[in-house]
Amino acid sequence: RDRHKSKEKEKDNDRDNDRDRRRKRRSRSRSSRKSKRSRKRSRSRSSSRDPAYKRYLRRKQNRKSMWDRKPEDMPEGTIILPTAEPKLQKVLVAPKQSRNVYVGGIDPHTTTEKDVFDFFTHSINVAQGKEEKCVLSVYINKFNNFGFIELSTAEMATAVIKYLNGIQFKGVELALRRPTNYEPSMTPQGGEPVIMDVAKIGMTQNRLSTQVENGPDKIYVAGIPYSLTNAQIQELLESFGQLAGLCVVREKGYAFCQYVDVSKTDLACEGLNGMTVGSQTLTVKRANAR
């Protein structure tokens, strides 16, 4: 029994000691909080009681903006008119689709994007007779023989397609046309057209349009050998009459064309359809025929 009582007393003593320790910790935390608060109050009171700080606040309150007074050196009778805010002129930037040009006939294995960038920049600047940053970026498809160049304006893209289509690059005629996602309605109108003199870069003026409008007289030509140039394709088709437009998709091996005299459409389809050119057979028919 005595042993049991002694153990209970020890447990009670331990509890009392733990209780005292907790109280001391609480008192210390409270005293530290009070000391921090007192320090903050003393600092704020000391700054507010500082005479230099009071003088600064007084000068700040009494300071005048002088917005309604004229300068001292201005002569009498001068009237100050309020100035109007400058109006920001809205600059219409053509969407990227209208500034992009499809370039067919590029060999991705022997040509880099820098080569195409330098070539078109030099050709455009020489043809138009002035230096400017006309080519913004170049993209080449690494798996097919085509790419895209982004021009500075939509007018520049139109001029490049009009004047430089069929230009020779590393012994290959390049086919230039609008991308498939091009929408004429999104292009800002009223821009100044770009004029180029292709004779300065050794080209002859190509007046044949590369845009063939959809219609009943649009002709589809498939099975074109890759070895034929645009000039040879044009010569073959013009054996039945003068062309109004010719669009060659070289990497796919087909083209679209239209004759000035629409009565030549059926004659060309009958004469060219089934013709063997090289190792391939041509398929020629109206584009809207099913």
Side-chain angles (χ1 to χ4, degrees):
R1 291 181 182 178
D2 295 337
R3 290 179 182 178
H4 182 68
K5 290 181 179 179
S6 62
K7 289 182 180 180
E8 288 181 354
K9 287 182 179 180
E10 290 177 359
K11 289 182 181 180
D12 293 338
N13 293 332
D14 293 338
R15 291 174 184 172
D16 295 338
N17 294 332
D18 293 339
R19 193 181 298 109
D20 294 338
R21 289 172 187 170
R22 293 173 186 170
R23 289 176 181 175
K24 288 181 181 180
R25 289 175 185 174
R26 292 175 184 172
S27 62
R28 288 176 184 174
S29 61
R30 289 175 183 174
S31 60
S32 62
R33 291 176 186 173
K34 290 181 180 179
S35 62
K36 289 181 181 179
R37 291 176 184 174
S38 62
R39 289 175 186 174
K40 290 182 180 179
R41 291 176 182 175
S42 62
R43 288 176 183 173
S44 61
R45 288 174 183 174
S46 61
S47 61
S48 62
R49 293 175 184 176
D50 187 8
Y53 182 72
K54 288 183 177 180
R55 287 194 298 270
Y56 166 75
L57 291 178
R58 198 178 301 115
R59 286 196 303 269
K60 187 176 180 181
Q61 292 174 357
N62 297 333
R63 187 181 302 166
K64 297 181 179 180
S65 62
M66 305 292 288
W67 66 271
D68 58 344
R69 295 187 183 184
K70 65 181 182 179
E72 296 179 357
D73 56 349
M74 182 174 289
E76 294 292 337
T78 304
I79 300 175
I80 303 176
L81 298 177
T83 57
E85 296 183 358
K87 295 183 179 180
L88 297 177
Q89 185 178 3
K90 293 184 178 180
V91 180
L92 296 178
V93 179
K96 190 173 182 180
Q97 293 87 343
S98 62
R99 293 183 285 110
N100 278 1
V101 174
Y102 167 89
V103 184
I106 298 176
D107 187 357
H109 303 291
T110 60
T111 305
T112 63
E113 294 177 348
K114 186 179 185 303
D115 295 339
V116 178
F117 182 91
D118 295 339
F119 173 76
F120 275 99
T121 300
H122 174 74
S123 301
I124 293 171
N125 289 336
V126 172
Q128 67 176 348
K130 62 179 180 179
E131 297 285 335
E132 67 172 325
K133 187 178 180 181
C134 48
V135 181
L136 302 183
S137 63
V138 176
Y139 165 76
I140 296 178
N141 190 304
K142 301 300 182 182
F143 304 99
N144 295 297
N145 297 346
F146 72 91
F148 294 93
I149 58 173
E150 181 185 356
L151 284 306
S152 56
T153 62
E155 293 75 20
M156 181 63 72
T158 302
V160 167
I161 296 173
K162 178 180 178 181
Y163 294 104
L164 302 184
N165 182 42
I167 190 172
Q168 290 280 341
F169 176 69
K170 294 187 176 182
V172 180
E173 287 186 4
L174 299 180
L176 308 180
R177 68 171 188 269
R178 297 285 188 182
T180 55
N181 60 349
Y182 170 68
E183 295 183 8
S185 59
M186 297 180 61
T187 305
Q189 303 298 325
E192 184 178 355
V194 179
I195 307 300
M196 296 184 185
D197 184 5
V198 295
K200 294 181 179 179
I201 57 177
M203 288 183 63
T204 57
Q205 183 66 44
N206 183 14
R207 298 186 180 276
L208 184 63
S209 174
T210 58
Q211 303 297 319
V212 181
E213 301 294 334
N214 292 327
D217 299 310
K218 183 178 180 180
I219 300 176
Y220 169 74
V221 184
I224 300 174
Y226 293 102
S227 58
L228 290 185
T229 63
N230 288 3
Q232 291 172 335
I233 297 172
Q234 180 179 345
E235 183 180 358
L236 175 63
L237 295 173
E238 284 189 338
S239 61
F240 291 87
Q242 183 181 359
L243 290 175
L246 174 62
C247 177
V248 180
V249 186
R250 181 167 299 279
E251 68 280 359
K252 299 293 184 180
Y254 66 84
F256 294 98
C257 69
Q258 188 174 5
Y259 288 93
V260 175
D261 185 2
V262 295
S263 63
K264 305 293 185 180
T265 303
D266 291 330
L267 294 176
C269 292
E270 293 176 2
L272 295 174
N273 188 41
M275 178 184 291
T276 301
V277 179
S279 59
Q280 299 193 34
T281 303
L282 297 181
T283 300
V284 183
K285 61 181 180 179
R286 292 179 183 268
N288 60 353
R290 295 184 180 178

